[in-house]
């Protein structure tokens, strides 16, 4: 008789498959690889009924030179960001809106908890829950702020990603 209990706490003991939350968080990490801001690589995924409807990452608006095109990141040097890019969460919401996809009633997954502005945009967009892996050090009160706005919040245990 074999023990079907996996060592990974994010694995379902019944099926030995990665949990849905872990699956989507892995997608967030892949999305973050597209970020053009080198100060912080945020990936965000919006999910409705366990289906991905939009993704977003940190980056400058279309037509604005980003950190990669300029060859340096001003924020990494302690200066204001010259690209003033969108955060991944906002980018995912705007991308859905641009394509006529509503995000009300959805769940937003992201690598880092949102900043204050993104929290307000999330609430205004009607997103019901935010699932994140790490607290954003630029706004450590983000999870509590979201709760006060009436948005559910869950912090996942960070996994090693291959």
């Amino acid at each position: 008789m074999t023990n079907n209990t996996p060592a990974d706490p994010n694995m379902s003991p019944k099926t030995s498959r990665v949990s849905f939350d872990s699956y989507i968080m892995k997608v967030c990490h892949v999305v973050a690889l597209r970020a053009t801001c080198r100060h912080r690589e945020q990936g965000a995924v919006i999910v409705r009924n366990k289906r991905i409807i939009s993704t977003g990452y940190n980056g400058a608006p279309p037509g604005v030179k980003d950190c990669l095109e300029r060859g340096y990141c001003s924020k990494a040097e302690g200066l204001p960001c010259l690209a003033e890019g969108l955060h991944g969460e906002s980018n995912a919401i705007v991308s859905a809106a641009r394509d006529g996809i509503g995000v009300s009633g959805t769940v937003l997954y992201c690598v880092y908890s949102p900043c204050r502005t993104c929290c307000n945009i999330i609430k205004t967009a009607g997103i019901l829950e935010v699932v994140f892996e790490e607290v954003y050090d630029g706004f450590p009160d983000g999870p509590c702020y979201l709760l006060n706005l009436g948005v559910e919040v869950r912090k996942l245990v960070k996994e090693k990603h291959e």
Side-chain angles (χ1 to χ4, degrees):
M1 186 175 222
T2 59
N3 180 356
N4 287 337
T5 305
D8 183 346
N10 294 311
M11 297 285 277
S12 167
K14 188 174 182 181
T15 63
S16 296
R17 291 190 330 166
V18 67
S19 70
F20 183 77
D21 285 337
S22 294
Y23 159 64
I24 297 298
M25 193 55 67
K26 287 178 186 298
V27 174
C28 286
H29 281 274
V30 171
V31 170
L33 295 173
R34 292 283 302 153
T36 59
C37 176
R38 291 294 153 237
H39 177 66
R40 182 162 328 263
E41 295 176 345
Q42 171 75 306
V45 175
I46 300 175
V47 173
R48 175 182 288 119
N49 299 323
K50 296 202 174 207
R51 297 205 181 267
I52 295 170
I53 63 168
S54 186
T55 65
Y57 50 84
N58 288 8
V64 176
K65 282 192 174 185
D66 58 45
C67 299
L68 296 177
E69 293 170 318
R70 286 193 325 272
Y72 68 94
C73 177
S74 52
K75 262 193 177 176
E77 298 169 2
L79 302 170
C81 183
L82 298 175
E84 287 304 322
L86 285 174
H87 290 182
E89 309 92 305
S90 295
N91 220 343
I93 293 167
V94 169
S95 293
R98 184 183 56 235
D99 292 334
I101 301 168
V103 297
S104 183
T106 61
V107 178
L108 184 140
Y109 288 78
C110 46
V111 176
Y112 300 96
S113 59
C115 71
R116 180 182 299 273
T117 300
C118 286
C119 287
N120 290 328
I121 292 169
I122 288 165
K123 173 62 177 177
T124 302
I127 292 172
L128 300 177
E129 182 179 20
V130 172
V131 181
F132 68 96
E133 204 171 55
E134 295 183 48
V135 174
Y136 170 48
D137 57 2
F139 186 49
D141 294 334
C144 289
Y145 187 73
L146 280 168
L147 286 171
N148 287 333
L149 290 174
V151 177
E152 290 183 42
V153 177
R154 283 190 295 131
K155 183 180 188 299
L156 294 183
V157 175
K158 185 175 181 178
E159 288 185 39
K160 291 182 180 178
H161 297 280
E162 298 175 18

